[in-house]
């Protein structure tokens, strides 16, 4: 996300019980990091591509001005075809 210029707020779930509870709610009771929460939607171990796609569709206001989504690599396109 840093390389794409997308800002975020990091939380330490081991220092804050409320943040840990939020992660558990989105990660089926687990304290899995990274868990990214955007609004009411949580992503457990997401790829940058998953987050960019979600932000582009539902929260484009959270992307930097003039943001252009990077093109997926050939390997990434192939993996998407194979694994869906």
């Amino acid at each position: 996300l840093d390389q794409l210029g997308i800002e975020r707020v990091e939380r330490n779930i081991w220092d804050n019980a409320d943040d840990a509870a939020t992660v558990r709610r989105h990660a089926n009771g687990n304290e899995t990091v990274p868990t990214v929460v955007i609004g009411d939607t949580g992503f457990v171990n997401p790829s940058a591509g998953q987050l960019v796609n979600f932000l582009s569709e539902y929260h484009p206001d959270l992307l930097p001005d003039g943001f252009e989504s990077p093109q997926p690599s050939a390997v990434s396109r192939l993996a998407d075809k194979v694994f869906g």
Side-chain angles (χ1 to χ4, degrees):
L1 297 178
D2 286 339
Q3 292 175 353
L4 298 173
I6 299 173
E7 292 185 30
R8 68 191 183 289
V9 176
E10 292 186 9
R11 311 262 187 207
N12 186 331
I13 65 170
W14 294 281
D15 287 343
N16 185 301
D18 291 336
D19 292 336
T22 297
V23 167
R24 286 192 302 273
R25 186 169 55 251
H26 291 284
N28 296 319
N30 299 305
E31 291 183 348
T32 305
V33 293
T35 294
V36 177
V37 179
I38 303 168
D40 293 330
T41 305
F43 300 86
V44 180
N45 287 322
S47 69
Q50 288 174 302
L51 297 175
V52 166
N53 289 341
F54 181 82
L55 290 171
S56 294
E57 186 168 347
Y58 298 103
H59 293 283
D61 55 301
L62 297 178
L63 293 169
D65 289 338
F67 181 83
E68 291 188 31
S69 183
Q71 296 300 312
S73 69
V75 171
S76 178
R77 289 191 304 273
L78 177 62
D80 285 345
K81 285 182 182 179
V82 172
F83 299 110

